[in-house]
Amino acid sequence: MEWSLKEDLRDCLVAAAPYGGPIALLKNNARKEKSPGVRPLLEIYSASGLLLASIPWKSGQLVQLGWTASEDLLCIQEDGTILVYNLFCEFKRHFSMGNEVLQNHVLEAKVFHTEYGTGVAILTGAHRFSLTTNIDDLKLRRMPEVPGLQKPPSCWAVLSQDRVTIILLAVGQDLYLLDNTSCSVVTPPGMSPSAGAYLQMAVSFNYRCLALFTDTGYIWMGLATLKEKLCEFNSSIRSPPKQMVWCMRPQSRQRAVVVAWDRQLMVVGNSTEFVLDEDSYLVPELDGVRILSRTSHEFLHEIPEASQEIFKIASMAPGALLLEAQKEYEAASFGKCFIDKFPAESFVHMCQDLRVLNAIRDYQIGIPLTFTQYKRLTIEVLLDRLVLRRLYPLAIRICEYLRLSEIQGVSRILAHWACYKVRRQLGGWPSRSLGWGWGRSGWAVVLLEYEPRSGEQVPLLLKMKRSKLALSKAIESGDTDLVYTVVLLLKNELNRGTFFMTLQNQPVALSLYRQFCKHQERETLKDLYNQDDNHQELGNFHVHSSYSEKRIEGRVGALQNALDEYYKAKNEFAAKATEDQIKLLRLQRHLQEDFDKPYLDLSLHDTVSNLILDGHHKRAEQLYREFKIPDKRYWWLKISALANRGDWEEMEKFSKSKKSPIGYLPFVEISVKHHNRYEAKKYAPRVTPEQRVKAFVLVGDLDQAADAAIEHKNETEMNFVLSKCTASTDAAVAEKLNRARAQLLKK
């Protein structure tokens, strides 16, 4: 390794990208004794240890680093904010994992890759999981809660099964599986009953296999579906491993798990152990494991059977003989002449692939791909990675050597190179308006794509008459004031129809303009709804307008317009509510004219209550029938109003008119509330048996309350009445209740 690390890897936050990707280190992150002036240092190296870039870390506390599939670095902070940097520590963007993560903080995080893209899973301080399967199309999912989880799980992993991302976690000896809707307890098949508590788990590169390590040193290996066990092993080491990763080749039947402690490495599968000279870090790959240390970068993998046949001692396999011939006679390609119908293209392509691999494995390039990884990655992605590293000459030479098409190869790379040069030049210019000043508006628009400040970018686009592009950029910036500026300018520039059609293609701008119209131009809002045939919102508009009408005829007219729109929108509930409001307004106008009292703008309930308070019982009954007020609600309204009026005679008469739908306890309660126990006592005997004790207590008749409780043989009711008794006045009642309780307890 070319780097000269003074720190041990265990003292750094480390993340290495797969497919021979770059290595990110955050130094001084966990050092507690550091002085306030010492900032953590974020460094990015190639796989050969060449420094690509470094910056002092000035943002929040970092919890985890990870790489996207396109080799962008994700820096996950404790507050749930994720900052994205390129290979050269240049900030690209940031996003948040939501308010819940912000409030509870991040305990642990994992970056994973699925067919949807690069995802992030978060464990919060509330011991809840949140994740997104694609950071480029951010949709946050809050996973179900684990019942009774009071502490962080001992280990957890992200699985991908049937295009669904799930979380497997361990709490002691229990395994839980979290999917989109539920939390379920799972048990690996063939797991030893004495295995102990889970300490570590590892998922294979292709998410098909799972390994579990317990505190007894037991290792279980099986399918990630937890439906089949592959093998088990007892390592005899009880301490938790620092890392555990899978080591396997695609389509190979040999499966192995690499377990690492501080200075010991164990390969479970062929029971091989290695003693490490220094602290190391494992990077799982498609076909093996990369092992990083301060001085070396090694690759541990399964040796294919063909290679074993060639290199084993005294081998007489054809490949071994050909190798000897090549050493003696430099006849590497001579053997193909003895094979019938051997396609020369395969040999040529293999030679080309090997030369490309040798070129990128050079330490100055630092992309140590295996042949299997190269084929899975494809030449197009490899060229993209060379472009990301700004290795334009090598990328062009590879394109020319492989004779790739201009569009796929050289032209595309030169375009990236030109953009990079322009960005570097623009970085030194004081203003992005230079291109526009030259009179080359097209070139100026291209240059403005690299202007990160929307406040500078949008006004220049408006000046160049690129209003629609300016609107898009203003919306992307999230600055509502900037959006309003562009929208109002477009309103003055375009005719009404074109302006509305432009807004239709920009939902954010349309929503903001509607908000503007609600406060400033309500008639324009009506036109917007008419253009969209949005009958529901037109109905709401007319309802809102009705409140600004001073005359009752105008208000009814506006509500009638709203009624028509609700019928067109097929909103029967809103239509019926509007129809009832029109009817109520007309009735209130007549009531106001008949009784010379204000009834307009009262609710239906207040109107009925006021009529009863004023003694107009027949009119109240009319509203009760016309508006189909529920019986229970009407009875409550009437007895409340009669009690407020003090019309106890009418209240008694009303109670006898028919069977009360609300019972007679409300009569007791309302009478007591208005300090009229005399009236309340009239209704207490009519209360249902199960409520009679409460009714008699309310009216102060503890003797009858005691009789009712004794009759019910209910100890709770007896205790309730006893609690209301006083020694001086209710001794006889208390004695009677105590005797009844004693008899009840004997039984």
Side-chain angles (χ1 to χ4, degrees):
M1 293 291 283
E2 289 293 315
W3 59 21
S4 300
L5 290 183
K6 297 179 181 178
E7 299 86 356
D8 284 331
L9 288 178
R10 63 171 171 267
D11 297 328
C12 303
L13 205 55
V14 186
Y19 294 98
I23 305 162
L25 293 178
L26 186 71
K27 299 178 179 179
N28 304 326
N29 189 47
R31 190 180 294 173
K32 296 181 180 178
E33 69 274 14
K34 62 187 179 184
S35 62
V38 177
R39 292 186 181 275
L41 190 64
L42 178 63
E43 296 180 339
I44 297 179
Y45 295 88
S46 72
S48 59
L50 287 174
L51 182 65
L52 298 178
S54 67
I55 55 169
W57 186 255
K58 299 179 181 179
S59 193
Q61 180 68 32
L62 276 184
V63 176
Q64 186 68 27
L65 297 174
W67 291 93
T68 68
S70 56
E71 292 193 331
D72 282 330
L73 180 63
L74 302 181
C75 301
I76 304 172
Q77 295 189 156
E78 191 179 37
D79 62 359
T81 303
I82 300 179
L83 289 78
V84 185
Y85 291 83
N86 68 7
L87 278 169
F88 297 96
C89 292
E90 294 170 350
F91 178 75
K92 296 182 70 173
R93 64 188 180 94
H94 76 278
F95 59 94
S96 173
M97 291 296 287
N99 286 329
E100 184 186 351
V101 177
L102 174 63
Q103 292 169 4
N104 295 303
H105 296 297
V106 179
L107 285 185
E108 296 177 33
K110 294 186 189 295
V111 178
F112 58 94
H113 305 281
T114 65
E115 58 267 38
Y116 298 107
T118 300
V120 176
I122 297 289
L123 171 63
T124 70
H127 308 140
R128 296 293 299 270
F129 288 90
S130 296
L131 63 82
T132 177
T133 54
N134 186 359
I135 62 168
D136 294 320
D137 183 20
L138 195 64
K139 294 176 182 176
L140 298 177
R141 278 170 44 200
R142 188 183 185 215
M143 305 303 282
E145 189 173 2
V146 179
L149 184 61
Q150 299 297 324
K151 60 181 181 179
S154 54
C155 55
W156 59 281
V158 180
L159 305 179
S160 181
Q161 297 176 2
D162 299 325
R163 299 177 65 84
V164 177
T165 303
I166 55 181
I167 288 177
L168 179 71
L169 65 129
V171 181
Q173 295 183 338
D174 297 321
L175 281 178
Y176 295 89
L177 202 62
L178 305 182
D179 59 18
N180 290 339
T181 57
S182 63
C183 168
S184 55
V185 180
V186 292
T187 303
M191 173 65 75
S192 171
S194 59
Y198 301 101
L199 295 181
Q200 184 69 276
M201 62 177 66
V203 184
S204 64
F205 195 89
N206 57 10
Y207 293 97
R208 292 178 185 171
C209 298
L210 174 70
L212 302 170
F213 184 96
T214 70
D215 60 1
T216 61
Y218 174 83
I219 299 175
W220 181 93
M221 297 163 61
L223 298 185
T225 57
L226 295 173
K227 294 180 179 178
E228 181 183 341
K229 182 176 83 170
L230 299 175
C231 68
E232 61 183 8
F233 180 81
N234 194 340
S235 68
S236 302
I237 302 176
R238 292 173 175 266
S239 60
K242 190 177 66 172
Q243 279 184 278
M244 184 168 71
V245 299
W246 281 84
C247 180
M248 52 194 287
R249 289 191 305 114
Q251 275 129 51
S252 172
R253 294 184 180 180
Q254 297 293 327
R255 297 180 177 91
V257 170
V258 181
V259 189
W261 288 268
D262 281 338
R263 293 295 173 91
Q264 185 177 359
L265 200 70
M266 180 180 291
V267 181
V268 179
N270 63 0
S271 303
T272 305
E273 292 187 30
F274 301 92
V275 176
L276 302 174
D277 295 329
E278 52 190 347
D279 189 39
S280 299
Y281 181 83
L282 305 184
V283 184
E285 287 283 6
L286 172 70
D287 53 350
V289 178
R290 287 157 60 194
I291 305 173
L292 295 172
S293 70
R294 288 198 299 178
T295 59
S296 63
H297 189 172
E298 300 169 292
F299 186 65
L300 178 66
H301 65 106
E302 176 197 346
I303 299 175
E305 290 183 7
S307 297
Q308 294 182 44
E309 288 291 328
I310 292 172
F311 293 104
K312 71 181 181 181
I313 297 172
S315 173
M316 297 301 292
L321 296 176
L322 186 59
L323 179 63
E324 286 299 316
Q326 186 268 336
K327 290 179 180 177
E328 293 293 328
Y329 309 108
E330 300 182 349
S333 64
F334 188 62
K336 73 178 187 294
C337 301
F338 297 91
I339 303 175
D340 292 334
K341 299 179 181 178
F342 180 82
E345 293 81 9
S346 299
F347 181 83
V348 171
H349 290 157
M350 180 59 72
C351 290
Q352 289 177 334
D353 291 340
L354 291 175
R355 286 194 174 185
V356 169
L357 288 174
N358 284 334
I360 62 173
R361 287 174 182 170
D362 184 272
Y363 81 97
Q364 291 183 326
I365 308 301
I367 306 179
L369 284 180
T370 64
F371 182 80
T372 305
Q373 294 168 16
Y374 171 71
K375 284 301 180 184
R376 177 68 64 87
L377 200 62
T378 72
I379 185 62
E380 290 79 14
V381 177
L382 176 59
L383 290 172
D384 286 340
R385 297 197 168 185
L386 291 173
V387 167
L388 283 174
R389 288 162 172 76
R390 300 169 186 168
L391 300 172
Y392 304 108
L394 177 60
I396 290 173
R397 285 200 298 272
I398 290 175
C399 291
E400 292 172 344
Y401 176 67
L402 297 179
R403 298 180 181 178
L404 299 179
S405 65
E406 288 287 312
I407 295 174
Q408 182 188 9
V410 175
S411 294
R412 184 171 66 91
I413 293 166
L414 287 174
H416 281 288
W417 170 80
C419 289
Y420 166 65
K421 286 294 185 182
V422 167
R423 282 197 299 271
R424 286 189 64 185
Q425 285 296 108
L426 289 177
W429 288 355
S431 172
R432 303 300 192 265
S433 61
L434 185 55
W436 171 240
W438 286 345
R440 300 176 182 176
S441 60
W443 175 240
V445 171
V446 173
L447 294 181
L448 278 173
E449 287 293 324
Y450 301 106
E451 171 55 67
R453 295 169 298 176
S454 301
E456 298 288 335
Q457 185 185 42
V458 172
L460 278 171
L461 288 171
L462 291 173
K463 188 177 180 182
M464 291 184 282
K465 307 298 182 185
R466 301 294 181 96
S467 304
K468 293 180 181 179
L469 180 58
L471 180 60
S472 299
K473 295 297 182 183
I475 292 169
E476 288 175 12
S477 73
D479 187 339
T480 53
D481 291 337
L482 207 55
V483 177
Y484 277 127
T485 300
V486 180
V487 167
L488 295 176
L489 190 69
L490 283 172
K491 180 187 172 187
N492 296 329
E493 280 186 0
L494 306 175
N495 61 57
R496 198 177 186 83
T498 307
F499 173 62
F500 284 171
M501 289 304 296
T502 302
L503 293 185
Q504 288 294 330
N505 298 325
Q506 298 286 358
V508 174
L510 180 60
S511 176
L512 288 172
Y513 186 62
R514 282 174 180 162
Q515 291 296 325
F516 170 80
C517 292
K518 281 180 182 178
H519 299 286
Q520 303 290 335
E521 299 177 6
R522 290 199 57 81
E523 284 304 310
T524 305
L525 186 65
K526 180 181 173 184
D527 294 340
L528 282 170
Y529 293 145
N530 270 320
Q531 180 170 329
D532 296 343
D533 290 331
N534 193 337
H535 299 293
Q536 175 66 39
E537 288 298 334
L538 275 169
N540 297 342
F541 173 85
H542 288 303
V543 169
H544 189 278
S545 299
S546 71
Y547 288 100
S548 60
E549 294 287 343
K550 295 182 179 179
R551 297 177 64 253
I552 189 69
E553 292 81 4
R555 188 177 303 178
V556 169
L559 288 174
Q560 189 63 51
N561 291 335
L563 180 64
D564 296 338
E565 295 300 334
Y566 286 140
Y567 276 127
K568 291 177 184 177
K570 298 181 180 180
N571 189 336
E572 294 180 3
F573 173 79
K576 184 67 172 67
T578 307
E579 195 173 358
D580 287 346
Q581 182 63 22
I582 293 172
K583 188 195 301 184
L584 180 62
L585 278 173
R586 287 171 173 162
L587 278 169
Q588 287 174 337
R589 180 176 62 180
H590 290 309
L591 291 171
Q592 197 158 300
E593 291 171 356
D594 293 345
F595 302 126
D596 195 26
K597 288 195 70 176
Y599 282 91
L600 277 173
D601 294 325
L602 293 178
S603 67
L604 175 61
H605 289 183
D606 287 346
T607 304
V608 172
S609 183
N610 283 1
L611 285 170
I612 296 169
L613 283 170
D614 295 336
H616 306 304
H617 301 295
K618 289 185 179 179
R619 288 292 188 94
E621 288 280 339
Q622 179 188 353
L623 264 68
Y624 156 63
R625 288 191 297 272
E626 284 192 23
F627 289 94
K628 298 179 181 179
I629 299 174
D631 289 344
K632 289 184 178 181
R633 197 175 300 167
Y634 179 70
W635 276 65
W636 269 107
L637 274 172
K638 186 155 185 174
I639 65 174
S640 298
L642 289 172
N644 285 332
R645 190 168 184 253
D647 195 345
W648 305 107
E649 183 180 348
E650 180 64 28
M651 186 170 166
E652 185 178 1
K653 181 180 175 183
F654 178 62
S655 72
K656 296 176 181 177
S657 62
K658 64 176 182 178
K659 185 178 179 180
S660 170
I662 60 174
Y664 294 93
L665 184 61
F667 287 78
V668 175
E669 292 173 337
I670 285 178
S671 299
V672 171
K673 180 182 176 182
H674 287 81
H675 312 291
N676 195 336
R677 287 195 173 185
Y678 174 78
E679 289 296 327
K681 288 179 179 178
K682 295 179 181 179
Y683 305 106
R686 300 170 67 182
V687 172
T688 57
E690 59 270 14
Q691 296 178 324
R692 197 163 290 162
V693 170
K694 182 180 179 181
F696 282 123
V697 169
L698 283 171
V699 300
D701 193 341
L702 296 180
D703 191 42
Q704 289 202 58
D707 291 341
I710 293 167
E711 182 182 345
H712 296 159
K713 297 180 181 180
N714 190 314
E715 187 179 0
T716 303
E717 290 183 343
M718 293 180 191
N719 292 334
F720 174 65
V721 179
L722 271 172
S723 70
K724 302 295 181 181
C725 294
T726 58
S728 58
T729 58
D730 306 306
V733 175
E735 185 180 353
K736 179 167 58 174
L737 284 168
N738 285 325
R739 284 200 306 272
R741 284 175 65 198
Q743 290 176 2
L744 191 64
L745 289 171
K746 286 179 183 179
K747 294 180 182 179

